[in-house]
Amino acid sequence: MKQKSRNILVAGEAGQGLVTLSQILTKALVRAGYYLVVTQSYQSRIRGGHNSYALRVSDQEIIAPIETVDLLIALDQKSIDIHMGELAPSGLVVVDENISSKDHDRILRAPFSKLADNKFSNSVALGMVSALLGLKENETNETLRSFFDKHGADATEHNMVSCSAGFDWVMRRGVDFPKLAPPNLQKDRLTLNGNEATALGAIAAGMKFFCFYPMSPATSIATALAEHSAEIEIALEQAEDEISAINMAIGASFSGAPSMVATSGGGFALMTEAVSLSGMTETPVVIVVAQRPGPSTGLPTRTEQADLEFVLHGGHGEFPRAIFAPGNVEQAFHLTRSAFEVANRYNTPVFILTDQFLADSYRSVQCFDLASVNPIDPCANSSAETDPHLTYFLTESGVSPRSFPGMTTNCVRASSSQELVVADSDEHTQDGHLTEDFLIRISMVEKRLRKFQGIKSECVPPDYIGDSEPDLLFICWGSSRGSTIEAAEQLKTEATRVGVLHFSQVWPLVPETFVKKITSAKKTIAVESNATAQFARLIRRETGIEIGASILRYDGLPITPEYIVARI
């Protein structure tokens, strides 16, 4: 049977440059026109500890990582010890001849140190992999040149010579390894990971202020934005902690700048009081929570989907919110933009719930169509005139027209104190002043909660992929989308009808959009990266429907199609 994809694993010790090698190979494969799914596995250390970078590549569409390895580039002995058991029967290991591994007919011992100086050994390996996969030498070299251009001509030349030495060594030796099928994708595609797509989605939405305190795996959103902040006029601030970060974002939003913060579970724990501030002051803010295993520090560089209930309930008091959970890189872009729209339209906090797997996973994606993508307008909801300005004007929808300090309701500079904008974190009157009037309290609570119906009316319905009237229905959310769909494809037979119901927005839930699909399936299974099936429990709470079974993973590694199929 024709092999659908090849899984290449580059493994070694942190600090050996395996990420550089892998990123260049990733770009070369995408530029050549292949589909790609990248998974990064790394330990929480500055240097040392075993790391790996898996590239699944194909001429056909692939959407999930897999576990079986076809080509292992082992940069140290430990990589062989750990990953040899994952090697496919026809797989190959490439290792430096100086590493004292046991001889094996599937191990190719290469003279890295004879082909180039040790500090360029990764470029030698890049050339070898390119030759083994059947990439064109000039295309790999051009990718390498563009990567090292910023390091100067000397560095670029040495790396290109080393890459060619590795490429030529494999070609002269005539290594028997199946080449990739010719690609059929357009070559002008983007290479993006989930966090980069989130950053681009925020830019497309018109974000003007981003604040953060570094915390894996959310930090690369900040670094992606920092590369472009000057040219697109975004104010980017590293605060002293997460409490300051979200409060600064709320302040910027109150002044009219669409704002976002990004963190992980531990950082979000510090932000929760300010989440309530956003709800009470009705100030829109977008909050990215990139999940990693907890509790406490847990496994800081691994993945999990265990913060759903935390984000759903984080903050004190009652106020509306929306939670998006992108299932792939494309959804990370579009849903981030949607998050800004919902936050701005309903003056409330909105969440993007992602995780380490999606945050660090590179994909080849088609360029986003920006023709119909317009940035949000914070002034769009400021048309109603009141004198004085009523920050919390009671409306049927619960949404009050916004004004910004120093601006009139038409978003031009104010000229009189009549247009003073007042807000208060205490319960307040319509004009924003503190009150303990019980009747006003009831009016304000009900006003805030009325916005929930509007948010619910715009909720993204779950995607359904698969046979109609399935015998077996998988229910998943967020980044488990790709693996669940590929598992369903493997399980589908003439006698078994299989479907996948994927939720990219996990709150609010609109039962009318999915209950019939669940109740009509003969068997239902929840697929989640947590130990207690949090989303299945949320569905039961909101609909009374019990999901029949669950496949859960909580060892810190991403769910794969093999993991799901093995547990059916």
Side-chain angles (χ1 to χ4, degrees), residues 9-14 16 18 49-52 69 72-86 93-95 99 101:
L9 186 70
V10 183
E13 189 174 285
Q16 286 189 295
L18 66 91
H50 180 73
N51 291 359
S52 65
V69 176
L72 170 61
I73 310 301
L75 301 182
D76 59 6
Q77 175 63 50
K78 193 172 184 180
S79 297
I80 300 174
D81 299 339
I82 292 175
H83 298 291
M84 197 67 187
E86 303 166 13
V93 180
V94 178
V95 64
I99 294 177
S101 60

Side-chain angles (χ1 to χ4, degrees), residues 323-470:
I323 306 174
F324 294 97
N328 53 36
V329 167
E330 290 91 339
Q331 288 187 354
F333 174 85
H334 291 294
L335 292 178
T336 299
R337 185 175 175 280
S338 297
F340 275 90
E341 287 182 334
V342 173
N344 190 62
R345 190 171 298 136
Y346 295 98
N347 302 335
T348 199
V350 173
F351 298 87
I352 300 168
L353 193 54
T354 179
D355 53 49
Q356 182 270 329
F357 163 59
L358 180 58
D360 291 333
S361 182
Y362 284 93
R363 311 289 174 91
S364 61
V365 299
Q366 195 165 357
C367 296
F368 301 119
D369 179 11
L370 300 179
S372 59
V373 175
N374 297 313
I376 63 169
D377 178 8
C379 296
N381 187 27
S382 63
S383 58
E385 296 280 358
T386 56
D387 186 13
H389 171 70
L390 298 179
T391 307
Y392 305 108
F393 184 49
L394 294 171
T395 63
E396 187 175 345
S397 67
V399 180
S400 305
R402 291 184 75 193
S403 278
F404 308 108
M407 311 284 278
T408 70
T409 50
N410 291 319
C411 274
V412 296
R413 187 176 297 280
S415 58
S416 77
S417 60
Q418 294 297 310
E419 289 157 344
L420 182 66
V421 179
V422 180
D424 201 305
S425 66
D426 283 67
E427 193 55 275
H428 37 245
T429 57
Q430 291 190 74
D431 60 1
H433 291 94
L434 181 154
T435 183
E436 294 195 10
D437 184 304
F438 301 134
L439 293 178
I440 293 177
R441 161 68 179 175
I442 293 172
S443 296
M444 283 296 162
V445 169
E446 293 177 347
K447 163 196 152 45
R448 289 189 288 269
L449 293 182
R450 280 200 296 275
K451 292 189 287 185
F452 185 73
Q453 291 306 316
I455 296 172
K456 195 173 179 179
S457 69
E458 297 187 23
C459 188
V460 179
D463 289 336
Y464 179 75
I465 307 100
D467 297 310
S468 59
E469 300 179 355

Side-chain angles (χ1 to χ4, degrees), residues 27 29-34 184-191 363-369:
K27 289 181 181 294
L29 289 165
V30 173
R31 287 185 178 186
Y34 288 102
N184 54 20
L185 274 175
Q186 293 179 349
K187 295 187 177 182
D188 56 342
R189 295 171 69 87
L190 300 173
T191 309
R363 311 289 174 91
S364 61
V365 299
Q366 195 165 357
C367 296
F368 301 119
D369 179 11

Side-chain angles (χ1 to χ4, degrees), residues 4-6 34-36 56-62 180:
K4 183 177 181 179
S5 64
R6 303 284 159 64
Y34 288 102
Y35 289 98
L36 197 79
R56 185 187 180 201
V57 58
S58 178
D59 62 311
Q60 306 170 55
E61 185 174 13
I62 49 174
L180 293 171

